[in-house]
Every structure is written in C-alpha cells, then in structure tokens.
Amino acid sequence: MSIFKSILNTVPRPWLIKASYLVRPIIALSLKGNTYTDPIDGKSFRKFLPYGYGKQRKNALSPSTLSLERHRLMWLFLKDETDFFTSTKTQKVLHIAPEQCFLDIFREQKNLDYTTSDLESPIADVKADICDLPFKENEFDVVFCNHVLEHITDDTKAMQELYRVLKPGGFGIFQIPQDLSREKTFEDDSIIDKKERAKIFGQYDHVRVYGRDYFDKLRSIGFKVDEVGYTKKIALEELERFCLMKNEILPVCFKF
C-alpha cells in the first residue's frame, strides 16, 4: 500500500485537512515542472500525486491546490460556461463540504456572498447537518455539494434540503462518484465491515454506489438537471495536461 493510500484510509478527514496546509507548499516545490498544469492556479508540475482509497489513480491530486479531476473540471465549466466569476451582481453562494482548492478563491471574490457549511470540516463557516440546514428557504443563488451525498444515509432528505435553500432561477452542482455502467444505484446497509465497504462502495465511509438513475432522483426532488459531458468540449491535449477524467458528467441542477 502506498503512503498516500495508507494515510487516506487511516487518518481522520479533519486531521488530513489541517495537515495538508503544512505539507502542501513542500510537496508543490518538490514536484515543480512543465508536464501537467492545474488550471485553478495555473501552476505546472512534472507530475501530480496519486489518489484513491482503493485503487489509486495516477496524476490525480494537484500538488498546489490539492484539486482532484472533478474540481478542475468544475472550475473550467464555471469559468468558460457561466458568469460565476464575472457577474457584476452579488451572488449568494452556499458550499457544502468546501474543498480547499476553491475556498480562498471564492472567499476573495467581490461578487460572491460566500458561506461554507459542513458537520465536521474544520474549514467550514457553519457546522450543520446537510439533512437539516440552518438556512432560509430560497436563500442562495448557487449551491455546491460535491462528493457528499454518497456519505449520507438519507440522501433524499439531503437533496430536498439543497432544493429548499436554492433560489428559483439559481443553480447547483452536485457531483458524486458514479458508475455509469450501472443503471440503478446500489446500496446495502448490511455491509458494515470497513474493508468490505471500501471494496464494494469504493470508500469505507460511502453508503452507496450511484448509477445512471442519480440524475432522475434529483429530478424527482424538483430539479431540472443538465447532464453536462463537458470533457467533450475540451481538447485532448488539455484533458491530458489538466489531468481530467474523460467522459465525466457534471450534474448541473436548476430550480424554477
């Protein structure tokens, strides 16, 4: 087992977040190069770090921002396909389980009224359960909730809360690990052994593997869902340079 894989599977997530602020600059300096580029900060490296709780993906984790493939894809989509960064109108943004690669950038944006929330994360503004969010109905123009729902036993209630706090006319991006070869989502509460859960669900603290029906479940809550295959708009050389996953689908959700 690689050192990164061992750390992911044994060190609690809040500790990992705190430690990453200390080691990130050292790792970034040691891997400086010209082969791969993180589009979030524009810095280049000879390689990215491996990442994964089970089978590790090569060149997945950016040494500078600690972004993963999904973060870099979302960044490019927001930059090229929306006015998230350029709108002159102030947008209220809720970010569930905020990722470090976005946190400082979004906080510093003049056009954002930015709030982060999580039950355990040490970098979140508001400590809250996603199934019982302490926010008003129709409060936020934009909601981000990435790789959270697969951890939540009652994901229907969590989706309902995301819908409740989003303004009509607003949008959200709710990424999840998804097996597109599965028609139906799989979950089994009887599997309680952590190693077995990691083997079956991809991570010891996941409670399901989402299939293609994930988008329809969001629609059943009330969202209009665009299944955005944004990697198809990105040139092959950029897919490789930015270390993106081909054919990943962005679930972009609207409330009307």
Side-chain angles (χ1 to χ4, degrees), residues 215-231:
F215 309 112
D216 286 333
K217 180 158 188 177
L218 288 168
R219 292 183 181 108
S220 74
I221 301 299
F223 290 108
K224 176 185 178 296
V225 182
D226 285 355
E227 302 170 28
V228 181
Y230 194 59
T231 60

Side-chain angles (χ1 to χ4, degrees), residues 96-248:
I96 304 292
E99 296 98 337
Q100 288 170 262
C101 57
F102 298 134
L103 190 66
D104 290 341
I105 298 172
F106 290 177
R107 276 180 174 165
E108 291 171 3
Q109 271 189 241
K110 302 298 183 182
N111 68 327
L112 300 185
D113 180 356
Y114 181 63
T115 301
T116 62
S117 180
D118 190 81
L119 194 58
E120 297 180 350
S121 174
I123 59 175
D125 301 318
V126 179
K127 297 294 187 289
D129 184 342
I130 190 175
C131 293
D132 186 22
L133 293 172
F135 306 112
K136 294 183 294 185
E137 186 174 346
N138 304 326
E139 185 167 350
F140 296 97
D141 299 287
V142 181
V143 177
F144 298 130
C145 178
N146 298 319
H147 283 235
V148 173
L149 293 171
E150 69 275 11
H151 297 267
I152 308 301
T153 301
D154 190 353
D155 64 338
T156 299
K157 178 60 177 172
M159 291 177 185
Q160 290 171 340
E161 279 292 271
L162 295 174
Y163 185 85
R164 181 183 66 81
V165 301
L166 185 64
K167 287 182 182 179
F171 78 93
I173 296 179
F174 310 139
Q175 293 173 300
I176 40 84
Q178 188 175 23
D179 182 354
L180 293 172
S181 70
R182 290 179 181 268
E183 181 182 356
K184 300 291 186 181
T185 295
F186 173 75
E187 49 191 320
D188 186 344
D189 294 339
S190 69
I191 304 170
I192 58 175
D193 179 75
K194 284 190 174 183
K195 289 184 178 180
E196 189 70 9
R197 294 193 70 81
K199 180 180 177 181
I200 293 173
F201 298 114
Q203 197 166 307
Y204 68 89
D205 54 353
H206 287 184
V207 299
R208 65 184 60 83
V209 180
Y210 283 107
R212 296 193 304 276
D213 60 341
Y214 171 67
F215 309 112
D216 286 333
K217 180 158 188 177
L218 288 168
R219 292 183 181 108
S220 74
I221 301 299
F223 290 108
K224 176 185 178 296
V225 182
D226 285 355
E227 302 170 28
V228 181
Y230 194 59
T231 60
K232 294 178 181 178
K233 286 190 173 184
I234 301 173
L236 179 59
E237 57 269 23
E238 288 197 331
L239 283 176
E240 294 175 351
R241 182 162 60 92
F242 296 150
C243 297
L244 301 176
M245 295 181 72
K246 294 179 183 178
N247 302 317
E248 182 174 357

Side-chain angles (χ1 to χ4, degrees), residues 4 27 29 43 59 69 86 114 122 129 152 158 168 172 182 224:
F4 292 108
I27 295 175
L29 182 62
K43 293 182 179 179
N59 296 311
E69 303 96 332
T86 59
Y114 181 63
D129 184 342
I152 308 301
R182 290 179 181 268
K224 176 185 178 296

